[in-house]
Amino acid sequence: MSQIKKNEVREFRNYEFYPAVLRETTSTWYIEYYVQNPTTGGMERKRIKVNKIKKRYTKVGEARKHISEMILALNEKLRNGWNPFFEGEDARLYTKLSDVVEIYLKEKGKELRPDSMRCYSSSCSMLMAWVARKNSDLFFSLFNHSYAVRFMDYIYNERNVSARSYNNYLKLLRVLFDWGVGKGYAKENPFSTIKTKRKEKKEWILIDQSSRQLIAKHLDGKPFLLVCMLVYHSLIRPKEIRNLKIGDIDLNQHCIKVSGEIAKNHNTRFAAISPQIEKLIDDLKIMKCNKNWYIFSDRETMEPGTVKLYDAKFTKEFAKLRKEIRLDPKMQLYSLRDTGIFEMLKNGVDDLSVMQHADHSSLDITTIYANHYDPKLNERIREKAPDF
């Protein structure tokens, strides 16, 4: 290294190599340079013997000139990113995990809706934060099964998430590494053989008519009552409601358009609205506002406006409502949708119509709702059971 000037070393450090120089001993001439081993991160010496070239020339000066040209070409290759450790391998295998994730999220950002993108970004951020504490320079390809198992243990035991959340993390990370394998950043998916957790069975709870009447009375004349009605009768998901605009309402056709851009399953549908909903829309004077405004906007009053409400607003509002009128703690805003589906099925609306109205991907999903606990089941059977 004695022949490399200090300022030259500093100049080349950013390229993760020390430039090639000619070494001359009494028995051997060789070109020597140092380059970073992408697996270990350390600088390793490389040598190229040039005795055969030396013997071609009768004059030493001519031999040195030839070898100097070789050194110039080699340094140019190194300066442009060439690394001998990459030979025989795709250079993408030596890309840092953080860099790959950045590329991945940028690509996904062009394909996914903001709500979905938040889930992808959250799982990736969790992974990168964990990796940064272990080895911030870890290559994507070297994040192996052992790392994956330890990370999922961290998610489940230290972050103390539910089995459902654990499985969601696992699903999203499988997608990330499947993408990485397809792009050449890794040879295998370290999450592919990790098993999902057995999910706790969802405890179905209906919001009975007396509870719905309490909700209607307490929220009389307020925009949040319209939210509850849209979830219950129109079966529109709370996340979809946040994105609805006044122009989506069609009172002549008695429906609200839920475009594929905001729908969970990306299917545009026209959700039916009841006379109660139409009356409330009229009472709230919603149709007098700009058609491009969101139906629910103001952070305090939820009146129409130009800004979409933040994600958790409806959930927080229902939690507040539940406490004020002392509803069962197990009742959630989404329970109104479950209840609406259940009652439509029980009241004779055919499965296919309910499936389409609820934007389910299959009849199997729709029929699950028929298995809700029905507090009036025994009463119905008692009344309609035939004589023995």
Side-chain angles (χ1 to χ4, degrees), residues 49-258:
K49 290 184 179 180
V50 290
N51 279 1
K52 290 183 178 180
I53 295 175
K54 175 188 173 185
K55 291 177 180 178
R56 292 179 188 173
Y57 296 91
T58 55
K59 295 181 179 179
V60 172
E62 292 178 349
R64 288 196 181 108
K65 182 179 178 182
H66 183 146
I67 295 168
S68 294
E69 291 173 355
M70 290 176 60
I71 290 173
L72 286 172
L74 176 58
N75 284 334
E76 184 64 22
K77 284 175 65 178
L78 290 165
R79 190 178 291 110
N80 290 329
W82 176 80
N83 187 314
F85 289 102
F86 289 164
E87 291 195 330
E89 294 279 9
D90 188 334
R92 286 190 172 192
L93 293 174
Y94 301 97
T95 309
K96 291 180 182 179
L97 184 142
S98 57
D99 293 337
V100 174
V101 169
E102 183 179 347
I103 296 167
Y104 170 74
L105 291 177
K106 186 176 181 180
E107 184 172 305
K108 283 295 178 183
K110 298 177 181 178
E111 304 168 0
L112 300 174
R113 298 193 304 264
D115 287 341
S116 299
M117 193 61 205
R118 273 188 284 273
C119 295
Y120 282 75
S121 297
S122 175
S123 63
C124 288
S125 295
M126 192 76 71
L127 176 67
M128 286 195 294
W130 184 82
V131 169
R133 294 197 293 271
K134 308 292 180 183
N135 179 4
S136 60
D137 293 325
L138 183 69
F139 295 123
F140 189 84
S141 61
L142 294 184
F143 189 95
N144 55 27
H145 180 71
S146 176
Y147 274 119
V149 169
R150 285 155 53 197
F151 176 70
M152 294 311 300
D153 285 346
Y154 160 75
I155 289 292
Y156 193 62
N157 298 319
E158 295 186 41
R159 299 288 301 183
N160 197 31
V161 303
S162 66
R164 185 181 298 274
S165 294
Y166 174 95
N167 292 342
N168 286 338
Y169 273 110
L170 182 58
K171 176 184 176 182
L172 290 169
L173 291 168
R174 282 176 178 171
V175 172
L176 164 63
F177 276 83
D178 277 342
W179 177 90
V181 170
K183 295 288 187 177
Y185 292 110
K187 291 185 176 180
E188 59 184 22
N189 189 332
F191 292 93
S192 61
T193 58
I194 297 178
K195 294 182 178 179
T196 56
K197 298 287 185 186
R198 183 176 179 180
K199 292 186 289 188
E200 56 273 21
K201 189 175 181 180
K202 184 177 179 180
E203 189 171 350
W204 303 103
I205 184 165
L206 300 176
I207 300 182
D208 55 67
Q209 188 174 20
S210 61
S211 296
R212 297 198 302 273
Q213 288 174 344
L214 279 175
I215 291 172
K217 183 178 180 181
H218 189 76
L219 295 176
D220 185 38
K222 296 180 180 178
F224 192 55
L225 177 57
L226 179 57
V227 174
C228 295
M229 286 183 172
L230 289 173
V231 175
Y232 170 72
H233 183 272
S234 302
L235 306 183
I236 305 177
R237 300 175 180 91
K239 284 187 177 180
E240 295 170 341
I241 293 174
R242 286 178 52 245
N243 291 279
L244 292 175
K245 295 187 176 181
I246 294 171
D248 295 321
I249 301 173
D250 189 339
L251 294 179
N252 293 325
Q253 297 297 322
H254 311 292
C255 65
I256 293 182
K257 179 183 177 181
V258 183

